[in-house]
């Protein structure tokens, strides 16, 4: 998938909040190209992520993790357990971006440790995996603060950063207008990031929590190519409410 990401091909994925392999399997079967498991804002464990990654395998879906922090050992564990891409939160500077990339890459490009793990079939595919892992692993950094927006050129200049993912809610909080994701200040900040991504030919991503034909089309036409549509919890909630409303209206 990294090749398509760098080619700036629109890639539609979704988000897993529940930590449920069954939810991941359902979303994978729906046809999403990638799925990200949120380890920052959920109670999902490493073991649960591993089972989620297993549940995706039959569908050829690209498994990703939003790490809880820019932590080298934590990122290493996700990759060893089956993640093929890492979304790193709160990256505010070039140095932090370099740390994220280094955690995802084997030497000499990074500091990822070697071991017989699930990602290399417990050592059976060790040599092959090590040869291709650095070229195939996707590294996305999250732009969630005013500082990150101000440093976006330095961040995107870091070799190995494949793209960014904008966190609009944290961004709004950083600008002192929490929750006002439609505010002009937030919109302008997002545009600054998007313009920089075009300049550096890096993927620009965002999470469209409640996707519609209009907001998805607007995002793609603006130049966003790495798009998360909805999430497991939202799909269940909206589907349940729609069914109940339909039933009540029939009476």
């Amino acid at each position: 998938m990294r090749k398509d990401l760098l080619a700036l091909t629109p890639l539609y994925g979704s988000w897993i909040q529940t930590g449920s392999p069954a939810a991941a399997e359902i979303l994978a079967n729906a046809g999403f190209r990638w799925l990200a498991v949120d380890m920052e804002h959920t109670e999902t464990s490493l073991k649960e992520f591993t089972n989620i990654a297993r549940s995706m395998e039959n569908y050829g879906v690209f498994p990703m993790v939003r790490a809880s922090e820019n932590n080298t050992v934590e990122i290493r564990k996700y990759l060893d357990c089956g993640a093929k891409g890492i979304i790193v939160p709160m990256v505010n500077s070039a140095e932090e971006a370099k740390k994220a990339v280094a955690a995802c890459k084997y030497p000499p490009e990074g500091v990822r440790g070697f071991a017989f793990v699930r990602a290399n079939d417990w050592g059976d595919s060790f040599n092959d995996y090590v040869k291709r892992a650095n070229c195939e692993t996707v590294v996305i950094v999250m732009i969630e603060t005013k500082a990150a927006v101000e440093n976006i050129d330095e961040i995107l200049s870091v070799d190995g950063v494949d793209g960014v993912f904008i966190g609009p809610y944290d961004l709004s909080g950083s600008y002192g207008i929490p929750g006002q994701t439609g505010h002009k200040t937030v919109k302008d900040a997002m545009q600054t990031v998007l313009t920089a991504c075009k300049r550096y030919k890096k993927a620009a991503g965002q999470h469209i929590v409640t996707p519609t034909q209009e907001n998805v089309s607007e995002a793609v036409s603006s130049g966003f190519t790495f798009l998360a549509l909805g999430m497991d919890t939202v799909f269940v909630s909206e589907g349940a409410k729609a069914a109940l409303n339909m039933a009540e209206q029939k009476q």
Side-chain angles (χ1 to χ4, degrees):
M1 190 182 86
R2 185 169 183 251
K3 182 179 179 181
D4 290 334
L5 185 77
L6 295 176
L8 305 183
T9 302
L11 298 171
Y12 299 107
S14 193
W15 215 253
I16 298 172
Q17 295 287 105
T18 61
S20 167
E25 206 165 23
I26 291 167
L27 292 178
N29 187 55
F32 287 108
R33 184 71 182 277
W34 58 273
L35 294 173
V37 181
D38 190 347
M39 306 293 285
E40 182 183 13
H41 293 294
T42 70
E43 60 185 10
T44 304
S45 68
L46 182 65
K47 184 175 182 179
E48 287 169 329
F49 163 70
T50 304
N51 287 328
I52 289 171
R54 288 189 176 107
S55 74
M56 296 184 200
E57 287 181 349
N58 290 335
Y59 302 93
V61 178
F62 195 81
M64 302 191 72
V65 165
R66 197 244 300 263
S68 68
E69 60 179 328
N70 192 357
N71 181 289
T72 300
V73 175
E74 178 184 337
I75 290 171
R76 179 183 302 159
K77 288 182 178 181
Y78 296 141
L79 292 170
D80 286 350
C81 289
K84 295 182 180 179
I86 303 292
I87 301 171
V88 185
M90 291 292 175
V91 173
N92 298 317
S93 67
E95 286 305 311
E96 291 176 0
K98 289 176 183 177
K99 180 182 179 182
V101 171
C104 295
K105 306 289 186 178
Y106 286 121
E109 295 176 46
V111 296
R112 183 180 174 188
F114 297 95
F116 283 11
V117 292
R118 180 175 179 272
N120 56 44
D121 299 318
W122 307 107
D124 193 56
S125 305
F126 180 85
N127 291 334
D128 177 64
Y129 179 76
V130 169
K131 288 178 181 178
R132 57 184 172 81
N134 282 3
C135 292
E136 295 179 357
T137 301
V138 169
V139 183
I140 301 291
V141 299
M142 293 200 71
I143 304 300
E144 305 178 85
T145 67
K146 180 181 178 182
V149 175
E150 292 172 349
N151 295 327
I152 190 62
D153 284 278
E154 297 174 13
I155 291 170
L156 290 174
S157 295
V158 174
D159 188 31
V161 170
D162 298 318
V164 306
F165 199 76
I166 297 174
Y169 283 95
D170 282 308
L171 197 59
S172 69
S174 179
Y175 281 99
I177 44 176
Q180 298 183 48
T181 57
H183 194 283
K184 183 178 185 302
T185 300
V186 177
K187 291 290 189 181
D188 288 347
M190 292 177 65
Q191 185 58 51
T192 296
V193 174
L194 179 58
T195 300
C197 286
K198 292 177 180 178
R199 189 162 58 247
Y200 286 90
K201 295 182 172 55
K202 302 288 180 77
Q206 67 165 297
H207 193 169
I208 303 178
V209 177
T210 306
T212 64
Q213 186 173 14
E214 291 74 20
N215 60 25
V216 173
S217 295
E218 180 183 357
V220 173
S221 63
S222 296
F224 287 96
T225 57
F226 183 65
L227 293 167
L229 307 180
M231 61 178 76
D232 54 358
T233 52
V234 171
F235 290 137
V236 172
S237 177
E238 290 187 343
K241 290 174 182 176
L244 184 58
N245 288 338
M246 177 273 296
E248 290 176 340
Q249 290 172 5
K250 291 293 184 180
Q251 297 181 14

